[in-house]
Structure formats: structure tokens, C-alpha cells
Amino acid sequence: EKFIMVKLHEKVFAVDPDVRSRDKKLHAKLRLMRTWLTFKDLEVPSIEPQLLDLAIAQLDSMANQYKAPKDKLVCVVNACKVIGNVLTRLRTSSSPTSADDMLPMLIWCVVQANPENLIANIEYMRAFRHPSKLIEEENYWSTMLDSAVAFLQGSHLDLGVRENLKREIAMMPMTFEAVGSHETLRVGDIPKL
């Protein structure tokens, strides 16, 4: 599988224009979200972001360094294992880490990594990793990644985006030269009528 897919990668990876278009939109959305998304927005406890650097690097490697579907899946599994280990170490109770804990952290890592051609990579792994070769762990974590991407593509965070854009607009400096004033004024400084 690896030998063949490495040779065919250029001819079969991201050839669908619809997938490329969705990837461009998602990449732009994640680039914007990366500037303001916090753990609080995802309703998870704050942690030191550096603890997730390895998971972010694995997601980036999946998109940029490997061509074989198995190698890409290994990166996804490694990223999820790092997240799971971080969650286990931070856990205060004896209950095991669940998908409810894992998914928001994976979403945060995907946003921070913002891997190029993320949708194309997922489609590629799904199409060219033979089902008989998939182990349960790979299948579980790739489904988790699918869920994270579906969440990010959807409108779940649109309200947050709108609120953050309102906040950013309110903080933008504006100069009112037309009325003879050269003072910088922020929209947020204007009293509501």
C-alpha cells in the first residue's frame, strides 16, 4: 500500500475541486479562529498550551510530511495519544478520559495546527487505506478527527466568530478627519444612544 500510494500521491491527492474549495474555506476559518479561540470557548479547563505542542506537530506532519495513508493515520493516532496523555495527567478524578473530554482538545489542536488540505487528507486516508488494514484504534481516532473537522466546518462556532468580530471592530482605532478631529477614537468608546 505504502509503495503504491507514495508513487500515486500526486495523481490522486486533492484532485476533487469541491474538496480543494472546502479546504480553502476551512483553512481560512481556522486561521481566523486561531487568533481568538481559547479553552474556555470550548468549555474545557485551561491548560498550558505547550503541553499540546507535540499533538499539533503531529497533525501538521500528517498534512505536510507523509504521503502514505497509513503514515498519515499514525500521525492522527499519535496526536490523539498525546492529547489523551495530557488529559490523563491533568485529571483530578479517577474516572477515565472520555470522548467528551477528548474532542474539544482535539478541536483546539486542529485549530492551532491548521494543517493545509485537512479535508483532502481525511478523504485520502478514507479512500486509500484498505479497510482490512485498519485497526480499531486508527478507526476510532480518524472518526474523532472527522468529528472535530465536521464541528469546525459547521456553524457551531459562528456565534463565537460574530461576537469576536464585534469585539475586534469595537477595538479598532478610527480617525474622524471629515469632522476636523484628528483624534483616534475607538468604536467601543462611543456611548450608546
Side-chain angles (χ1 to χ4, degrees):
E1 176 184 284
K2 182 174 184 171
F3 177 78
I4 293 170
M5 293 318 301
V6 167
K7 298 290 184 190
L8 292 175
H9 185 266
E10 300 291 321
K11 297 190 185 325
V12 297
F13 183 78
V15 293
D16 184 352
D18 178 54
V19 171
R20 286 195 308 264
S21 171
R22 291 185 324 181
D23 259 328
K24 283 182 183 178
K25 288 177 187 172
L26 180 62
H27 193 66
K29 185 176 186 178
L30 297 184
R31 185 176 39 239
L32 209 131
M33 289 174 66
R34 188 178 185 180
T35 62
W36 60 263
L37 186 69
T38 65
F39 294 114
K40 185 178 177 183
D41 294 322
L42 296 169
E43 298 178 3
V44 294
S46 290
I47 64 166
E48 288 296 319
Q50 296 82 4
L51 293 173
L52 297 169
D53 282 351
L54 186 56
I56 293 166
Q58 285 293 305
L59 291 170
D60 191 50
S61 293
M62 178 258 321
N64 296 316
Q65 286 185 339
Y66 297 102
K67 294 183 179 180
K70 169 71 174 174
D71 295 340
K72 290 178 178 289
L73 274 168
V74 167
C75 290
V76 172
V77 170
N78 288 343
C80 292
K81 283 183 176 181
V82 168
I83 296 167
N85 288 338
V86 168
L87 288 172
T88 300
R89 282 194 288 164
L90 297 173
R91 204 109 181 112
T92 54
S93 68
S94 61
S95 63
T97 303
S98 70
D100 291 340
D101 303 318
M102 184 71 181
L103 186 59
M105 289 294 189
L106 180 58
I107 289 168
W108 189 85
C109 288
V110 167
V111 170
Q112 297 308 309
N114 193 8
E116 290 186 40
N117 302 312
L118 180 57
I119 298 168
N121 275 287
I122 291 171
E123 295 287 329
Y124 178 78
M125 289 184 284
R126 189 178 297 131
F128 296 109
R129 180 68 175 152
H130 196 278
S132 68
K133 301 285 185 187
L134 270 177
I135 58 173
E136 288 180 27
E137 185 179 35
E138 289 174 345
N139 206 17
Y140 180 78
W141 294 126
S142 67
T143 301
M144 187 71 75
L145 180 61
D146 286 345
S147 299
V149 171
F151 178 83
L152 290 165
Q153 280 183 301
S155 60
H156 297 90
L157 293 178
D158 284 351
L159 271 177
V161 171
R162 277 189 232 123
E163 292 305 312
N164 278 294
L165 285 174
K166 284 181 188 175
R167 235 181 294 141
E168 286 179 26
I169 290 170
M171 297 310 296
M172 290 174 117
M174 302 180 87
T175 305
F176 295 97
E177 294 173 349
V179 291
S181 172
H182 294 287
E183 293 180 25
T184 301
L185 181 67
R186 298 187 189 282
V187 175
D189 297 337
I190 300 172
K192 293 187 178 182
L193 302 175

